[in-house]
């Protein structure tokens, strides 16, 4: 039989000993702890929470997968699973140990933990299983949070409408990079360009079904952007890149994929080098005042990819 009172006494004694350490010694102990251990430590008491927050810690990334009857969270390699249990309860599995949480839905439990660790993460990746039926619940919970503080958000396999709901929940002031992968786009994509998250981010990556080429012009304020795939790429768009984008001091690079059937690569090359007389694949060095750019077009089976990169001095 386990002596619960004795266990509690020992735990309180150890905690008291730690708290009574000199501040310098306690900080040395905390600085050696892993992020997951620091996260547990700050839940013990107010003093430890203050001490841990003062030291600061970060998870490199949070990878959240929304699946049928399960949510999986990875914190820089540490995996936690939230699985639905009988009577609306939740099983939380971590380090091969299972803990039953009574009276709490598995999505709600995972979301609460996500909000705690997101304050200490640089990047959040949220992946939606195609068979998932929990996105509606997740989005409803997320809408109650308007300033999730991360520098990078990456959304995979969401619908366009779901993306429009999720993005505004992230703090636009701190968001530096946003990526939308395998998102079904539609003719309403312009709605995203009106969001503060789009306007304030520095880098964007779009891996979606075909979207209108106008999204290129709406990306000129980014330091760098990658777009898969626009419906067409005209010489007029290349001219706007030459006369506008390349004159912006903040611009660093872009990568644009587009269909072969709607493009004349030689016309594009001549925008940057009027005497160009080569083939479809090209690499051009373009000078714009004191700035120099490498511009090249790569040909693939079904599409072209235009790359523009500022030459680093």
């Amino acid at each position: 039989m386990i002596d619960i009172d004795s266990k509690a006494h020992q735990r309180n004694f150890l905690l008291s000993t730690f708290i009574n350490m000199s501040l310098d010694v306690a900080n040395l102990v905390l600085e050696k702890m892993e992020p997951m251990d620091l996260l547990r430590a700050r839940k013990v008491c107010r003093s430890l929470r203050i001490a841990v927050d003062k030291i600061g810690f970060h998870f490199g990334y949070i990878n959240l997968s929304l699946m049928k009857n399960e949510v999986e969270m990875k914190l820089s390699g540490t995996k936690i699973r939230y699985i639905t249990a009988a009577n609306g309860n939740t099983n939380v599995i971590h380090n091969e140990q299972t803990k039953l949480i009574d009276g709490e839905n598995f999505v709600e439990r995972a979301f609460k933990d996500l909000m705690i660790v997101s304050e200490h993460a640089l990047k959040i990746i949220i992946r939606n299983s195609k068979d998932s039926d929990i996105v509606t619940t997740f989005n409803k919970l997320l809408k109650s949070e308007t300033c999730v503080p991360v520098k990078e958000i990456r959304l995979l396999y969401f619908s366009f409408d779901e993306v429009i709901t999720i993005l505004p929940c992230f703090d636009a002031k701190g968001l530096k990079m946003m990526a939308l992968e395998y998102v079904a786009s539609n003719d309403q994509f312009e709605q995203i360009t009106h969001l503060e998250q789009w306007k304030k981010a520095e880098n964007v990556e779009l891996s979606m079904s075909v979207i209108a080429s106008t999204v290129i012009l709406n990306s000129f304020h980014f330091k760098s952007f990658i777009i898969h795939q626009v419906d067409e790429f005209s010489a007029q768009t290349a001219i706007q890149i030459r006369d506008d984008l390349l004159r912006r001091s903040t611009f660093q690079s872009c990568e644009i994929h587009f269909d072969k059937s709607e493009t004349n690569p030689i016309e594009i090359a001549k925008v940057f080098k009027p005497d160009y007389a080569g083939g479809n694949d090209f690499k051009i060095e373009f000078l714009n005042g004191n700035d120099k750019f490498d511009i090249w077009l790569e040909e693939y089976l079904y599409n072209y990819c235009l790359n523009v990169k500022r030459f680093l001095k």
Side-chain angles (χ1 to χ4, degrees):
M1 181 175 178
I2 299 174
D3 188 344
I4 297 177
D5 290 337
S6 176
K7 288 276 188 180
H9 175 74
Q10 292 176 18
R11 185 169 59 251
N12 291 335
F13 175 76
L14 291 172
L15 176 60
S16 176
T17 302
F18 180 77
I19 292 176
N20 290 333
M21 289 181 181
S22 70
L23 187 60
D24 289 341
V25 174
N27 284 340
L28 286 173
V29 173
L30 292 172
E31 287 172 359
K32 298 294 183 181
M33 295 170 65
E34 295 294 326
M36 283 295 295
D37 295 325
L38 287 170
L39 190 61
R40 296 187 188 99
R42 70 186 301 277
K43 293 181 179 180
V44 173
C45 65
R46 183 172 178 272
S47 296
L48 275 178
R49 185 171 68 251
I50 293 172
V52 169
D53 289 347
K54 185 176 181 180
I55 292 174
F57 66 97
H58 290 287
F59 297 101
Y61 68 89
I62 301 172
N63 196 329
L64 193 75
S65 296
L66 307 178
M67 298 173 281
K68 189 176 181 64
N69 299 324
E70 179 179 349
V71 175
E72 181 182 275
M73 186 189 301
K74 292 181 180 178
L75 306 170
S76 298
T78 299
K79 183 166 69 174
I80 306 171
R81 298 171 63 198
Y82 304 82
I83 302 175
T84 185
N87 301 318
N89 300 325
T90 297
N91 282 322
V92 179
I93 303 175
H94 176 235
N95 285 342
E96 298 183 353
Q97 296 184 346
T98 300
K99 179 180 180 181
L100 177 66
I101 300 180
D102 293 326
E104 193 164 27
N105 175 273
F106 72 104
V107 183
E108 295 175 350
R109 179 68 262 172
F111 181 80
K112 286 182 180 178
D113 287 351
L114 174 65
M115 290 301 99
I116 292 172
V117 297
S118 67
E119 296 182 6
H120 308 280
L122 301 176
K123 172 181 178 180
I124 293 183
I125 305 166
I126 307 178
R127 186 186 308 268
N128 175 28
S129 166
K130 293 183 179 179
D131 297 325
S132 175
D133 57 358
I134 66 173
V135 176
T136 300
T137 302
F138 179 80
N139 284 351
K140 184 178 180 180
L141 293 167
L142 192 59
K143 285 177 70 175
S144 65
E145 303 288 336
T146 56
C147 287
V148 180
V150 290
K151 291 186 177 181
E152 179 177 342
I153 174 67
R154 191 172 290 266
L155 303 177
L156 295 86
Y157 298 106
F158 285 91
S159 71
F160 179 83
D161 290 338
E162 289 164 348
V163 168
I164 286 292
T165 301
I166 293 172
L167 284 179
C169 301
F170 290 85
D171 185 8
K173 294 179 180 179
L175 192 63
K176 301 299 182 183
M177 195 276 184
M178 53 187 288
L180 308 178
E181 300 184 30
Y182 310 108
V183 173
S185 61
N186 60 25
D187 57 3
Q188 300 299 313
F189 184 86
E190 187 179 348
Q191 293 180 38
I192 291 180
T193 67
H194 296 309
L195 298 177
E196 286 301 305
Q197 287 72 18
W198 177 276
K199 295 177 182 179
K200 297 290 180 63
E202 296 179 355
N203 310 287
V204 74
E205 181 177 339
L206 305 177
S207 299
M208 310 170 70
S209 53
V210 179
I211 54 179
S213 58
T214 52
V215 72
I216 299 173
L217 307 182
N218 286 320
S219 302
F220 281 7
H221 65 289
F222 295 118
K223 287 184 177 180
S224 64
F225 60 91
I226 300 174
I227 303 177
H228 309 262
Q229 148 154 351
V230 294
D231 54 4
E232 63 176 347
F233 190 93
S234 65
Q236 181 58 41
T237 302
I239 291 171
Q240 289 173 297
I241 289 176
R242 182 195 66 191
D243 296 343
D244 185 347
L245 181 62
L246 301 192
R247 295 181 183 278
R248 301 189 181 213
S249 60
T250 56
F251 172 72
Q252 295 176 355
S253 66
C254 70
E255 179 181 320
I256 305 168
H257 297 251
F258 45 91
D259 193 275
K260 278 185 175 181
S261 62
E262 303 293 333
T263 304
N264 185 331
I266 295 178
E267 286 186 3
I268 295 173
K270 286 184 174 181
V271 169
F272 303 100
K273 188 177 181 180
D275 61 350
Y276 180 77
N280 290 345
D281 279 2
F282 63 78
K283 185 168 185 179
I284 296 170
E285 198 172 84
F286 179 75
L287 295 176
N288 180 23
N290 294 323
D291 296 317
K292 184 165 65 174
F293 300 87
D294 285 328
I295 302 175
W296 69 99
L297 187 73
E298 297 175 291
E299 182 177 5
Y300 298 100
L301 185 60
Y302 299 109
N303 65 358
Y304 290 113
C305 177
L306 180 72
N307 295 270
V308 182
K309 188 174 183 180
R310 183 184 294 274
F311 184 82
L312 298 178
K313 300 177 182 179

